[in-house]
Amino acid sequence: MKELVIISGKGGTGKTSITGAFASLAGNSVLADCDVDAADLHLLLKPRIIKKHDFYGGSRALIRNELCTDCGKCREVCRFDAIEIRGPVSPHSQKTYQVDPVACEGCGLCAYFCPAQAIQFDLALNGEWYISGTNYGPMVHAQLGMAEGNSGKLVSRIRSEAKKIAEEEKIGNLLIDGSPGIGCPVIASITGADQVLIITEPTLSGLHDLRRVAELTRHFHIPAMVGINKWDINEELTGEITRQTKELGLTMAGKIRYSRAVTEAQVKQVPIVEYTNDGISQDIRELWQVVMEELNKS
Amino acid sequence: MKIAVASGKGGTGKTTLAVNLAYVTSHAVALLDCDVEEPNAHIFLKPEIREQHSVGVLIPEVNPEKCTLCGKCGEICQFNAIVPLPKKVLVYPELCHSCGGCMLVCPDQAVTEISREIGKIEQGQAGHIWFAHGILNVGEIMSPPMIKAVKHAVPPAELIIIDAPPGTSCPVIEAVRGVDYTILVTEPTPFGLHDLKLAVGMLRTLEINFGVVINRSDLGDQGVREYCDENSIRILAEIPDDRRIAESYSRGEIICESLPEYQSIFKTLIQTVVAKTDNKLKARA
Ligand code: SF4
Ligand code: SF4
């Protein structure tokens, strides 16, 4: 089984549209949406949810007011300014201590040090993840709760479930839509993958972010290829990116022209290669050929 | 007054908006680029960097001479960042959330804290704009402490514009916490709408006032507008899909400089937002 992760450094470069097109071209593969912050792949692939699971990424503190003696120890030990004094006083205490669930990092110090054992510290529900069926193969995806953290752990979970399915059902390709940036969820998406495809665009920001993300793949020793989306927006920069891609020791996998059809396909909620057979779909087919060859080599 | 520019989805034009708003405002303004994973604002503003400093987080250091291998540190750590083995205690610096628990519970005072660099902050000036950004070191997992450090800057400005990272989880929450207003940038597409809903949910949970700017407004469909209508969300401005904007952006130019006809959109936008927020702040005071 080969695992390909499609990432972008900078957001909005068309990574998800390209992943969706790849799913369609591959025919049968396991798909995973690891861009849990802005999970959009399901809008193209229309998964039918087969199984739903709760996701608990960590624990969170909760002060039981009726047991609180107002000593203030929790506020003293919490380094995340998550203990607030607000609300009405209770019969047992002068101040009402409360945990701000958004600020709480889940370290558990307050619960450990509370002399009155007034703080509950339980696993917190951070979101849900799903195993689904699509026309292109099984798909694992998720929904993070509102203002929830722990996205890195959720990404690791999605990937390991997707791998399990690929092994059990003997499906050769695992296609992963990764997340933008270079932090926690991206690192969780790419560590140990066979190949990474970085989708960039010919802008100075795109080039800047490509260099950062290329440094990241090198740091974790993952072979990476580059695809330039909307290459014709700035031909000069496309040339520069091509040159720097080689310099960085990465493989130039292909370029895709700018086309409004990408947005039109998105509105119709179908992968772009099913929406049109025009130039842009040809570009994506060629890119997919090269990516497959590289993937099979790795 | 602190105003954040955020977006559920990346690449919607968040940085373009933040930079251009800072460029056209007549207030004493500062721009803080809090997208520490992929900071881009400097590409457009080309600030003269005058100060640079390293940002560190605290991690434990175990003194083997004092350590009795009692294992208490490993019990309290929720992040598997400190692991007592039969003969020594291992620390995994990248996993540590700097809560200080291991140091507090160690009965033998064997644990102390040392600072570990995770990135750096650069400060400077770009014309009338006071500028700062954070750059997370490549390979670091946690950006929130870095974002916090950028937000700690106290610029000589009445208006602080924060360029937030994309998404809706920890880094964004850190960037928008405590701001007076957030401008959400989106695109009128199904992806844009889906991610806008998540961002709206996040801001409502955090009880932060916000309005929406639709970028590349003549593309896509009506979904975003209908959603804003139904949920009484104010659309602050619409910016058309103009190939000249895309080209100027690609070269790292400030739109209002290269295409002055767009100045009025950004001027009206920042004036509206500042006036709205000013009223709210006064009403609260
Ligand atoms: S669990 Fe940690 S972060 Fe959360 S409130 Fe308690 S001490 Fe603060
Ligand atoms: S400081 Fe907190 S997170 Fe870091 S190793 Fe110690 S207990 Fe774990």
Side-chain angles (χ1 to χ4, degrees):
Chain A
M1 188 252 310
K2 300 281 187 189
E3 189 181 16
L4 172 72
V5 190
I6 298 141
I7 57 173
S8 68
K10 182 178 148 38
T13 57
K15 166 180 72 60
T16 300
S17 291
I18 292 170
T19 309
F22 283 181
S24 172
L25 294 173
N28 191 26
S29 46
V30 178
L31 308 153
D33 193 348
C34 287
D35 188 357
V36 293
D37 246 43
D40 288 333
L41 191 61
H42 67 281
L43 296 173
L44 294 179
L45 304 184
K46 300 197 222 66
R48 300 169 292 272
I49 295 176
I50 298 167
K51 248 190 183 158
K52 238 186 219 177
H53 301 263
D54 289 337
F55 169 66
Y56 298 91
S59 302
R60 192 177 286 150
L62 183 73
I63 297 176
R64 292 168 62 191
N65 265 129
E66 69 282 10
L67 298 178
C68 172
T69 60
D70 189 14
C71 75
K73 185 76 188 168
C74 52
R75 209 168 142 87
E76 198 186 300
V77 295
C78 177
R79 283 193 177 172
F80 304 96
D81 298 325
I83 311 273
E84 301 180 317
I85 307 172
R86 60 153 123 176
V89 293
S90 78
H92 315 277
S93 63
Q94 294 295 306
K95 300 176 188 134
T96 307
Y97 288 90
Q98 228 173 44
V99 175
D100 172 354
V102 175
C104 178
E105 188 85 4
C107 70
L109 291 203
C110 52
Y112 186 92
F113 285 102
C114 175
Q117 267 113 55
I119 306 184
Q120 240 168 283
F121 189 63
D122 298 326
L123 278 178
L125 185 67
N126 297 137
E128 284 183 334
W129 60 274
Y130 319 99
I131 295 182
S132 298
T134 73
N135 294 345
Y136 317 97
M139 172 166 171
V140 188
H141 51 127
Q143 175 135 32
L144 209 53
M146 282 305 163
E148 287 293 347
N150 284 309
S151 52
K153 278 192 188 164
L154 182 53
V155 166
S156 305
R157 187 47 170 289
I158 294 174
R159 263 183 82 198
S160 68
E161 291 298 328
K163 262 190 212 165
K164 230 198 274 166
I165 295 175
E167 271 153 23
E168 275 163 15
E169 303 194 9
K170 299 198 169 46
I171 298 174
N173 292 319
L174 173 50
L175 298 181
I176 295 179
D177 190 359
S179 49
I182 60 161
C184 156
V186 193
I187 293 177
S189 318
I190 64 170
T191 38
D194 295 302
Q195 279 276 355
V196 163
L197 172 64
I198 307 168
I199 300 295
T200 186
E201 57 178 32
T203 63
L204 283 179
S205 313
L207 174 58
H208 177 264
D209 296 349
L210 167 66
R211 294 191 63 98
R212 299 257 294 161
V213 90
E215 211 182 307
L216 186 76
T217 54
R218 193 172 44 204
H219 184 97
F220 290 101
H221 308 290
I222 304 158
M225 304 173 259
V226 175
I228 308 179
N229 195 12
K230 307 177 200 156
W231 72 270
D232 44 350
I233 289 267
N234 187 328
E235 296 187 26
E236 203 184 310
L237 266 171
T238 292
E240 183 58 25
I241 291 176
T242 311
R243 201 182 62 70
Q244 294 206 19
T245 296
K246 285 197 194 109
E247 208 176 272
L248 291 164
L250 309 178
T251 311
M252 177 48 80
K255 359 181 247 194
I256 299 167
R257 71 195 71 180
Y258 172 83
S259 165
R260 285 201 167 205
V262 177
T263 309
E264 290 159 20
Q266 209 190 95
V267 170
K268 293 260 153 41
Q269 312 212 340
V270 290
I272 173 81
V273 289
E274 293 174 28
Y275 177 76
T276 170
N277 253 325
D278 281 357
I280 176 150
S281 290
Q282 290 309 323
D283 292 347
I284 295 178
R285 281 203 180 86
E286 277 165 34
L287 176 67
W288 174 240
Q289 281 305 324
V290 178
V291 167
M292 279 305 281
E293 278 163 28
E294 286 296 315
L295 198 57
N296 289 331
K297 269 193 246 161
S298 63
Chain B
M1 181 187 302
K2 272 190 189 159
I3 293 172
V5 184
S7 166
K9 175 174 154 28
T12 53
K14 197 169 47 56
T15 301
T16 306
L17 200 72
V19 162
N20 282 279
L21 291 179
Y23 180 82
V24 297
T25 183
S26 50
H27 291 88
V29 69
L31 190 126
L32 308 183
D33 188 348
C34 286
D35 188 355
V36 301
E37 294 181 37
E38 300 287 15
N40 280 157
H42 67 282
I43 295 174
F44 304 90
L45 291 174
K46 306 174 184 69
E48 187 194 320
I49 299 298
R50 293 179 181 163
E51 238 185 277
Q52 202 193 68
H53 58 266
S54 150
V55 173
V57 291
L58 293 174
I59 57 159
E61 187 175 56
V62 182
N63 180 346
E65 269 154 39
K66 287 191 178 170
C67 174
T68 58
L69 296 166
C70 73
K72 287 236 166 11
C73 53
E75 275 164 35
I76 192 147
C77 183
Q78 293 295 315
F79 311 104
N80 303 316
I82 189 161
V83 182
L85 299 176
K87 286 201 176 136
K88 64 173 179 200
V89 175
L90 275 185
V91 174
Y92 294 97
E94 288 85 11
L95 299 179
C96 175
H97 287 231
S98 309
C99 72
C102 46
M103 185 176 66
L104 284 177
V105 295
C106 177
D108 307 295
Q109 275 87 50
V111 184
T112 48
E113 289 182 307
I114 51 170
S115 176
R116 185 175 76 86
E117 192 197 86
I118 57 163
K120 60 174 194 279
I121 287 186
E122 292 179 335
Q123 290 174 4
Q125 193 77 31
H128 71 289
I129 305 166
W130 191 93
F131 174 84
H133 66 177
I135 308 168
L136 185 72
N137 288 346
V138 171
E140 288 298 335
I141 301 175
M142 274 175 276
S143 55
M146 195 64 220
I147 295 169
K148 213 179 245 174
V150 182
K151 282 179 76 184
H152 264 155
V154 201
E158 32 177 3
L159 174 63
I160 297 176
I161 298 178
I162 291 175
D163 186 1
T168 49
S169 66
C170 332
V172 195
I173 291 168
E174 192 60 59
V176 300
R177 253 182 102 186
V179 303
D180 302 302
Y181 194 87
T182 295
I183 302 174
L184 284 178
V185 194
T186 189
E187 285 172 0
T189 61
F191 287 6
L193 173 60
H194 179 258
D195 300 343
L196 173 66
K197 287 182 187 165
L198 298 175
V200 166
M202 170 191 75
L203 291 175
R204 293 210 158 137
T205 308
L206 297 173
E207 298 171 8
I208 294 174
N209 287 315
F210 65 93
V212 167
V213 168
I214 305 182
N215 197 9
R216 303 186 194 106
S217 56
D218 41 351
L219 284 179
D221 57 13
Q222 292 302 320
V224 167
R225 287 182 195 87
E226 284 161 13
Y227 167 77
C228 288
D229 247 23
E230 281 159 21
N231 293 276
S232 328
I233 295 168
R234 175 149 178 192
I235 296 176
L236 300 162
E238 302 203 4
I239 302 166
D241 180 42
D242 180 342
R243 194 175 165 116
R244 291 174 310 155
I245 294 186
E247 284 167 2
S248 144
Y249 170 88
S250 79
R251 294 188 294 265
E253 294 165 4
I254 296 174
I255 314 291
C256 288
E257 200 169 37
S258 51
L259 302 166
E261 64 264 42
Y262 280 105
Q263 282 184 13
S264 65
I265 295 191
F266 291 97
K267 265 197 190 137
T268 317
L269 174 57
I270 191 70
Q271 277 163 4
T272 316
V273 169
V274 167
K276 262 173 92 86
T277 311
D278 226 19
N279 285 338
K280 276 256 160 58
L281 289 178
K282 279 195 191 120
R284 221 182 289 156

